[in-house]
Amino acid sequence: MINSQFSVARLSPELLTQVQQFERKLSTDTKENIVLIAYTDNDSESPKSPSSHN
């Protein structure tokens, strides 16, 4: 179900670097191995995509 609604986000090298820097900061702050995953909402073109706010 999640595969049909979301797909892996295509990030520019600059944005990927920012995500990796944030991963390192979170890992340092929490002393845990933190991995962030970027997805894009396939329904994001729809103006009502945040349907959880009913």
Side-chain angles (χ1 to χ4, degrees):
M1 182 169 186
I2 192 169
N3 290 340
S4 63
Q5 183 177 355
F6 297 98
S7 56
V8 176
R10 294 182 181 190
L11 301 178
S12 68
E14 295 81 12
L15 289 176
L16 182 56
T17 297
Q18 289 179 22
V19 170
Q20 291 168 332
Q21 289 171 347
F22 191 50
E23 283 177 333
R24 285 192 292 275
K25 180 176 177 4
L26 288 174
S27 293
T28 299
D29 291 350
T30 63
K31 297 182 178 33
E32 298 283 341
N33 187 20
I34 303 296
V35 177
L36 301 177
I37 303 171
Y39 288 101
T40 185
D41 187 348
N42 292 332
D43 293 332
S44 63
E45 291 114 4
S46 170
K48 60 179 183 170
S49 65
S51 59
S52 61
H53 299 353
N54 288 342

